[in-house]
């Protein structure tokens, strides 16, 4: 009998229990405890390695993702007889100029929005306090009494022993800390830009190297080419669709907020478009922030609900209608598995893990569909 062949357990002949009731045969699949333990240890080791080396993997994956978005433009310039390196330089220059132009145009509204944030927070806090007082005056009275006691204790310069009370003063933020953080961020951005440039200039160089590393087997070479092409096509389609859809979401949010008289509508449109890159979390945060701003500006709950509802409607239409229409069926994934996967990558790498989670899950699905031992994972991720 083969080792992997399921064993059907039959009841012993002449058993009294079997004579009284029908027996349902059970199937047991032999499993190697050693192989399961090794697989678990391998997963734990890989997870720890990804977490420990996130400062290496995150910029690398960001550069790969950006290069997949920009590669069609470089290919178009190459077909126009331009060298690949020159095309990569032109495309990156246009990208940086576009980002800089948008940032310059929105700098003034963004500054106005930043100046309004303390006032908005104060109004929201006052509204919450008034709501708490109206709902439960007893709790409000207790809170007021506690605040009075705290004020009195703070105002007393000395206690009965005559000792001066100790006040804990937070040390002021040092300029060196901000300079160090800004320098580290600028260095990472610069490294990502160089990586994108080199990837765009290299073309399919690394694809040929991966195929060569698979060995002399023609079957393995063919499967490797299919995996690499499918990963590139599906992730490229997803990223270009995401950029296109984010532009539509930002524009629709801007126009809708202009229609209802929302201040700084252009800034909220930009925030909605950028936040659409982060699944689930980004649109929710934008809707909550816009609702709080609308409540502080208009002074009523109805306007806040209207503004937040507009954002949720736009995001829902994008998620349930527009994106499925633009995405190929082979690139779609099970929403539950994708949500769990985003939780994992977010836990592992934070916000960047959520941003990179969908491309990583798509690559995993493509590999699982092509490798026989991983078909179960592909089935779990598939739509």
């Amino acid at each position: 009998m083969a080792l992997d062949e399921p064993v059907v357990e039959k009841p012993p002949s002449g058993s009294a229990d079997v004579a009284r009731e029908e027996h349902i045969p059970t199937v047991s699949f032999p499993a190697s405890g050693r192989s399961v333990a090794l697989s678990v240890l391998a997963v734990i080791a890989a997870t720890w390695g990804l977490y420990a080396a996130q400062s290496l993997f995150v910029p690398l994956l960001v550069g790969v993702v950006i290069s997949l978005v920009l590669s069609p433009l470089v290919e178009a310039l190459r077909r126009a007889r331009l060298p690949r390196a020159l095309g990569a330089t032109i495309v990156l220059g246009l990208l940086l100029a576009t980002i800089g132009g948008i940032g310059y145009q929105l700098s003034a509204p963004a500054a106005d929005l930043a100046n309004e944030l303390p006032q908005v927070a104060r109004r929201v806090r006052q509204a919450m306090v008034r709501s708490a007082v109206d709902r439960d005056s007893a709790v409000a009275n207790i809170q007021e009494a506690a605040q009075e006691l705290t004020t009195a204790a703070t105002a007393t310069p000395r206690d009965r022993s005559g000792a001066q009370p100790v006040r804990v003063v937070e040390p002021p933020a040092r300029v060196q800390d901000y300079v160090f953080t800004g320098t580290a961020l600028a260095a990472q951005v610069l490294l990502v830009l160089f990586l994108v440039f080199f990837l765009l200039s290299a073309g399919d160089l690394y694809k040929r190297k991966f195929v060569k590393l698979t060995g002399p087997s023609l079957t393995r070479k063919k499967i490797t080419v299919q995996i690499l092409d499918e990963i590139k096509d599906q992730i490229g389609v997803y990223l270009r669709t995401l950029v296109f859809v984010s532009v539509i979401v930002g524009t629709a949010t801007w126009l809708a907020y202009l229609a209802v008289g929302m201040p700084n509508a252009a800034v909220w449109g930009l925030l909605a478009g950028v936040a659409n890159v982060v699944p689930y979390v980004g649109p929710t945060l934008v809707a909550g922030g816009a609702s709080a701003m609308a409540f502080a500006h208009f002074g009523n709950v109805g306007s806040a609900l209207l503004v937040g509802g507009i954002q949720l409607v736009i995001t829902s239409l994008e998620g349930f209608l527009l994106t499925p229409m633009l995405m190929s069926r082979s690139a779609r994934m099970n929403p539950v598995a994708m949500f769990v996967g985003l939780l994992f990558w977010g836990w592992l790498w934070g916000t960047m893990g959520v941003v990179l989670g969908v491309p990583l899950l798509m690559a995993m699905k493509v590999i699982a569909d092509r490798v026989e031992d991983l078909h179960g994972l592909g089935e779990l991720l598939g739509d």
Side-chain angles (χ1 to χ4, degrees), residues 136-217:
D136 195 349
S137 58
V139 176
N141 292 332
I142 295 174
Q143 291 176 348
E144 184 178 358
Q147 185 177 3
E148 292 295 335
L149 292 174
T150 304
T151 304
T154 305
T156 302
R158 298 179 183 274
D159 60 10
R160 295 181 179 179
S161 63
Q164 183 73 20
V166 178
R167 292 185 179 181
V168 179
V169 179
E170 294 291 336
R174 297 183 303 174
V175 179
Q176 293 88 339
D177 296 337
Y178 292 103
V179 173
F180 178 77
T181 304
T183 303
L185 180 60
Q188 287 188 349
V189 172
L190 188 61
L191 289 175
V192 170
L193 290 177
F194 274 113
L195 178 61
V196 172
F197 172 78
F198 291 137
L199 289 175
L200 292 176
S201 301
D204 59 350
L205 173 65
Y206 287 96
K207 175 183 174 181
R208 297 195 302 268
K209 290 183 177 296
F210 277 122
V211 173
K212 187 176 181 180
L213 289 174
T214 57
S217 174

Side-chain angles (χ1 to χ4, degrees), residues 54-64 188 191-192 195:
Q54 62 178 346
S55 58
L56 169 65
F57 287 114
V58 170
L60 178 63
L61 291 174
V62 170
V64 172
Q188 287 188 349
L191 289 175
V192 170
L195 178 61

Side-chain angles (χ1 to χ4, degrees), residues 350-375:
T351 304
M352 292 307 301
V354 178
V355 175
L356 297 171
V358 176
L360 289 172
L361 291 173
M362 296 180 73
M364 292 170 59
K365 181 180 179 299
V366 171
I367 296 173
D369 289 339
R370 296 289 182 179
V371 178
E372 185 176 358
D373 294 338
L374 300 176
H375 280 177

Side-chain angles (χ1 to χ4, degrees), residues 244-295:
F244 177 70
V245 168
S246 297
V247 172
I248 293 179
V249 169
T251 305
T253 303
W254 170 47
L255 296 177
Y257 283 0
L258 278 180
V260 299
M262 181 71 176
N264 300 311
V267 178
W268 286 109
L270 177 63
L271 290 176
V274 173
N276 191 63
V277 178
V278 184
Y280 306 115
V281 179
T284 303
L285 293 178
V286 171
S291 298
M293 182 67 70
F295 178 79

